[in-house]
Amino acid sequence: MSEFRLTQISDTHLARRLPRLTGNFDSLSEHIDATRPDLVVNSGDLGFDGPAQRGDLEFARSLHDALPVSCRYLPGNHDVGDNPTLSGAVPSQPVGEPSLQAYRAIFGEDRWRFDAAGWCFIGLNSLVLNSGLPSEAEQFDWLAAQLASTGPRPVALFLHKPLYLHAPDDPELAATSFRYVPVPARGRLVAMLGAVDLRLVASGHVHQRRDFTFGQVRHIWAPSAAFIIADARQQAIGLKEVGLVEYRFQPDGFEVRHIRAPGQDDVDLDSLFGEASTS
Ligand SMILES: [Fe+2]
Ligand SMILES: [Fe+2]
């Protein structure tokens, strides 16, 4: 296969009780049906409140199963709970082995690797980083083995949280520590990735679209497929809109297209709280 077409969706936040978000997913589904990529990757926050409501994850899985192409999944903080950080407050829903097991029972492995079009694709569970859980150590061991076998292939990394805002050694600030891969695990991960030909880091989580390059690595922040977060609640860094990202990988490079599916609506999180409280 000389070209591999991958569509990244993210932060679908699906729940049966939130039909406007299902409506945005339906628009996405129609676009995917029309374009038929080789693979869809959902980079996490599949459900609205997975740690508290397992039914949200089951609902999300059922909608993805209806897509006409294969899917791979990665967990988000709203699926398995959040990372502990050195500088920020303790998460209200910390990641734990039971929630990880519940996720895996519904979506399968929370990390993966495959090769296509001369590339190596790696998906990581970013929520176990800094957790001290057995799953964190197991993932680092697994990653080391994968990176040892990439050979000369360029590497594309997918994970829920962006690695950093601007640069690997950005200081971790208490107010935004939940937004990026936390330190010190970030440094260990970046050092491991330094041994391979990393070209792309594709993330979600921030609900803002962004596309920047640091060194040889292009960082793509996929927007949420579901909703945006108003400036009063969240600093604007990139573009606040719902949408998706399409990639075409060839052995000598890749292309990125920033897309909105016809019919996708910029639902505001605040309006959603109102909807949830009245239904
Ligand atoms: Fe999200
Ligand atoms: Fe998230």
Side-chain angles (χ1 to χ4, degrees):
M1 189 191 302
S2 61
E3 180 174 81
F4 185 72
R5 294 169 55 226
L6 186 156
T7 292
Q8 183 188 5
I9 61 175
S10 199
D11 298 82
T12 43
H13 285 278
L14 291 160
R16 201 178 293 277
R17 64 192 174 282
L18 294 168
R20 293 169 71 204
L21 303 190
T22 307
N24 269 344
F25 191 88
D26 289 343
S27 299
L28 211 59
S29 300
E30 287 169 19
H31 179 76
I32 289 166
D33 188 23
T35 52
R36 300 289 176 121
D38 297 305
L39 178 70
V40 168
V41 170
N42 189 327
S43 49
D45 285 353
L46 309 158
F48 192 76
D49 189 12
Q53 306 204 40
R54 183 187 171 101
D56 289 0
L57 296 183
E58 292 167 341
F59 181 63
R61 177 72 207 228
S62 70
L63 292 189
H64 287 79
D65 280 345
L67 291 173
V69 298
S70 1
C71 296
R72 286 182 184 265
Y73 309 97
L74 291 169
N77 49 303
H78 288 280
D79 304 317
V80 297
D82 214 343
N83 324 65
T85 64
L86 294 181
S87 58
V90 174
S92 58
Q93 292 174 317
V95 65
E97 294 292 354
S99 62
L100 291 167
Q101 289 303 335
Y103 171 91
R104 292 177 190 132
I106 297 168
F107 286 102
E109 274 303 316
D110 55 355
R111 59 177 188 246
W112 37 257
R113 177 256 177 98
F114 65 93
D115 297 352
W119 284 68
C120 172
F121 296 83
I122 293 178
L124 281 186
N125 178 346
S126 57
L127 285 316
V128 294
L129 298 172
N130 266 21
S131 69
L133 295 170
S135 287
E136 180 186 20
E138 288 164 15
Q139 178 168 261
F140 270 124
D141 289 346
W142 173 87
L143 179 63
Q146 301 310 315
L147 296 179
S149 64
T150 62
R153 284 184 287 269
V155 175
L157 175 69
F158 287 78
L159 74 180
H160 183 59
K161 290 192 172 184
L163 282 180
Y164 43 75
L165 174 59
H166 296 303
D169 56 356
D170 284 346
E172 184 173 270
L173 308 175
T176 56
S177 60
F178 61 88
R179 189 171 290 154
Y180 309 102
V181 169
V183 299
R186 180 201 304 167
R188 182 177 176 188
L189 179 56
V190 167
M192 291 172 76
L193 294 167
V196 299
D197 184 14
L198 181 68
R199 304 275 188 90
L200 168 67
V201 177
S203 55
H205 182 57
V206 189
H207 290 228
Q208 298 186 37
R209 191 192 289 286
R210 191 162 175 236
D211 186 340
F212 73 101
T213 299
F214 180 86
Q216 305 299 312
V217 183
R218 191 163 172 187
H219 294 256
I220 302 291
W221 292 11
S224 167
F227 63 83
I228 58 168
I229 303 169
D231 290 352
R233 285 185 179 276
Q234 183 206 48
Q235 170 194 7
I237 304 168
L239 182 63
K240 293 192 176 185
E241 64 170 19
V242 300
L244 65 147
V245 186
E246 293 177 345
Y247 303 86
R248 287 172 185 256
F249 294 89
Q250 301 102 11
D252 57 350
F254 69 107
E255 299 161 26
V256 180
R257 294 177 67 207
H258 296 285
I259 303 286
R260 275 171 71 88
Q264 276 195 294
D265 178 24
D266 284 333
V267 173
D268 188 299
L269 175 62
D270 286 318
S271 70
L272 218 51
F273 285 143
E275 184 173 313
S277 64
T278 55
S279 61

